[in-house]
Amino acid sequence: ERELYINSNYSESFHVLQMFGLENEGLRNDPKGAEVLYDSALSFKGLLLGASVEFMNAVRESGDEDLVSEAEKLRTLKLYLSSVNSRMLADRPEDYDSLLATADSLEHVIVRKVKDLGRYMDDMNVSWKDVAASLSRKDVAVEFISYDIDDTKKYSAAVLRKGWKSPKVTAPFSIDGDQNHLYDAVWKEVASYLKAGDNVYFSPGGLLHQVNV
């Protein structure tokens, strides 16, 4: 629901909502809980498209010069990070992880500061049902969700197929630098929802932007 945006000035963030839902097996496996988790991932990722024209217009119309400056910094940083994401890990700059953390922190600052997204929110009014309606019979949409708990970055995948009554959400997992463990960590449970010949469309989150998944 769009109320998540209205409440963005509260101390609770999207990450807190996602952490609570994903760490709770009952909520994670509940159809309504899975719907909220999928929608929150769509909303949060959409809101943080710092390079989008709509987002920048909403920020400029706020009249907050500091916010505009922060948004411009985020946009520039996102463009730079995007340009190096395709490189091998060994070829990325030494400060890549630090820049990624800076972008993440800056995104959260902007979310808290923007109080009235008005038209921008309406343009982004997309739910899991909209995604499902756009899929064909052989399409699978996967939203990877990241959150922090006890100084550990954890992930989960929200999986959606056309005709499903609700998304399916996998158990949380963490990843390390070992590429050999990557498939089991990221795709093993997701694979149980896939069929031969499927077209998989996925949106990464957190450090999954940095690895070849």
Side-chain angles (χ1 to χ4, degrees), residues 33-63:
E35 291 173 11
V36 170
L37 288 167
Y38 198 104
D39 284 348
S40 69
L42 289 176
S43 297
F44 192 66
K45 289 181 179 181
L47 179 62
L48 300 180
L49 290 175
S52 73
V53 173
E54 293 86 357
F55 182 76
M56 291 304 298
N57 284 343
V59 169
R60 293 190 182 101
E61 290 171 6
S62 72

Side-chain angles (χ1 to χ4, degrees), residues 75-125:
R75 185 181 71 86
T76 301
L77 186 54
K78 283 283 190 177
L79 290 173
Y80 172 71
L81 290 172
S82 178
S83 72
V84 300
N85 271 344
S86 59
R87 301 180 191 175
M88 297 293 290
L89 293 177
D91 296 330
R92 291 173 182 170
E94 293 183 0
D95 61 347
Y96 182 80
D97 288 344
S98 175
L99 291 174
L100 202 64
T102 298
D104 184 67
S105 175
L106 198 53
E107 285 177 338
H108 285 85
V109 169
I110 293 172
V111 168
R112 288 194 296 269
K113 284 188 175 182
V114 176
K115 299 298 192 296
D116 182 14
L117 291 178
R119 184 187 68 255
Y120 181 63
M121 289 167 55
D122 294 336
D123 292 341
M124 290 167 44
N125 193 12

Side-chain angles (χ1 to χ4, degrees), residues 142-157:
V142 182
E143 284 287 337
F144 285 104
I145 307 169
S146 65
Y147 62 97
D148 298 296
I149 182 170
D150 297 331
D151 297 322
T152 300
K153 178 72 74 175
K154 297 185 77 172
Y155 302 84
S156 185

